[in-house]
């Protein structure tokens, strides 16, 4: 099967990190195609970034549909454009926060999210409200390292580990969710250090999509996730007009 893993931001080195982590867990019959959108923000750390990432995500999904992708991972913790992607794609689409939060509820009673900037915490709380039962998300904590500095700041990993340790105590949680695709690859090491499950959405979402495709489970096209009604889109969105 072919899984398209979309990095909703336009930073190619981050796509490479995401791809390596997705490929590390994908099964032998699964081809992971990592995509960097042609348009969008360099990183996603505001509602503005998130809104402007969505056209690039949808263009990537449209291309995936043309080339026969079996399923999609949206590899950003804000899950930008997830519902719209489901309206376009025939195969399953799974978001990072969605996958990670669901997985955390399967291995623990309450989780803490460790994310990048404090301004992204509201979105994480909103998504927790959508995906998991009340009380399952015990807290969302920001290490205050900007997304692209996760790659370059030598203190980033230690800040994430220290914050996660504090979060477990403060929140009374038993599981850590990594709240950014740029943290992919840290889960196993941080878990060994802290002695609790640490969930990375890139790997979990990849295996969830692989499982859904294997089971023949596709997004329901009945009602809400049916293909959007054809209409004209004006101006810079003209290319998004559906037949
Ligand atoms: C993210 C992410 O996963 N990718 C990105 O550009 N921003 N999330 C975050 N909380 O900073």
């Amino acid at each position: 099967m072919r899984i398209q893993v979309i990095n909703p931001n336009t930073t190619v080195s981050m796509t490479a990190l995401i791809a390596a982590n997705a490929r590390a867990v994908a099964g032998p019959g699964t081809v992971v195609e990592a995509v960097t959108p042609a348009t969008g923000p360099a990183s996603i750390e505001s509602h503005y970034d998130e809104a402007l990432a969505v056209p690039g995500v949808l263009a990537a999904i449209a291309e995936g549909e043309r080339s026969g992708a079996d399923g999609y991972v949206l590899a950003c913790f804000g899950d930008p454009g997830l519902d719209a992607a489901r309206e376009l794609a025939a195969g399953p689409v799974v978001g990072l926060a969605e996958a990670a939060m669901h997985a955390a509820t399967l291995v623990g009673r309450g989780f803490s999210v460790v994310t990048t900037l404090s301004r992204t915490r509201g979105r994480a709380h909103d998504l927790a409200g959508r995906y998991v039962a009340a009380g399952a998300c015990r807290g969302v904590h920001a290490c205050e390292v900007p997304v692209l500095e996760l790659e370059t700041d030598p203190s980033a990993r230690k800040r994430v580990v220290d914050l996660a340790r504090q979060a477990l105590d403060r929140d009374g949680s038993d599981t850590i969710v990594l709240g950014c695709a740029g943290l992919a690859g840290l889960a196993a090491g941080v878990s060994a250090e802290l002695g609790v499950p640490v969930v990375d959405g890139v790997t979990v979402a990849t295996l969830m999509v692989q499982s859904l495709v294997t089971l023949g489970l596709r997004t329901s096209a009945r009602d809400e996730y049916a293909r959007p009604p054809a209409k004209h889109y004006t101006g810079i969105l003209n290319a998004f007009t559906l037949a």
Side-chain angles (χ1 to χ4, degrees):
M1 78 177 73
R2 284 178 47 214
I3 300 178
Q4 201 184 87
V5 178
I6 303 170
N7 170 18
N9 77 43
T10 58
T11 299
V12 172
S13 55
M14 201 160 146
T15 308
L17 175 77
I18 291 164
N21 282 278
R23 287 184 184 126
V25 296
T30 298
V31 175
V32 170
E33 286 169 357
V35 177
T36 310
T39 64
S43 64
I44 300 167
E45 41 198 16
S46 66
H47 295 291
Y48 187 78
D49 289 340
E50 207 155 289
L52 292 176
V54 174
V57 167
L58 296 181
I61 299 267
E63 178 52 33
E65 290 301 286
R66 282 191 289 273
S67 63
D70 294 299
Y72 302 85
V73 171
L74 287 191
C76 172
F77 202 75
D79 293 356
L82 177 60
D83 290 304
R86 286 196 174 128
E87 291 176 336
L88 278 193
V93 185
V94 175
L96 226 63
E98 182 178 49
M101 289 185 190
H102 279 108
T105 67
L106 303 178
V107 295
R109 190 69 189 168
F111 61 82
S112 299
V113 177
V114 174
T115 189
T116 54
L117 302 183
S118 68
R119 63 181 303 153
T120 69
R121 288 181 306 156
R123 177 72 178 162
H125 278 295
D126 288 349
L127 293 178
R130 169 172 171 171
Y131 299 141
V132 297
C137 177
R138 304 252 166 104
V140 181
H141 304 263
C143 67
E144 301 299 0
V145 179
V147 173
L148 299 183
E149 288 180 28
L150 291 172
E151 290 181 22
T152 55
D153 181 345
S155 74
R157 186 183 185 283
K158 182 174 179 338
R159 285 166 74 168
V160 168
V161 173
D162 290 348
L163 187 64
R165 191 178 278 114
Q166 287 167 23
L168 292 166
D169 286 340
R170 274 198 232 145
D171 296 346
S173 55
D174 58 13
T175 302
I176 295 295
V177 166
L178 299 176
C180 179
L183 297 171
L186 296 188
V190 177
S191 176
E193 258 178 79
L194 300 181
V196 297
V198 176
V199 184
D200 153 50
V202 173
T203 48
V204 174
T206 301
L207 290 182
M208 280 185 179
V209 170
Q210 182 177 279
S211 298
L212 293 169
V213 172
T214 301
L215 292 166
L217 289 170
R218 295 150 76 95
T219 301
S220 175
R222 181 183 162 89
D223 200 20
E224 184 170 332
Y225 285 141
R227 192 166 173 81
K231 71 188 63 160
H232 190 66
Y233 292 79
T234 306
I236 58 170
L237 297 180
N238 182 252
F240 291 88
T241 297
L242 298 174

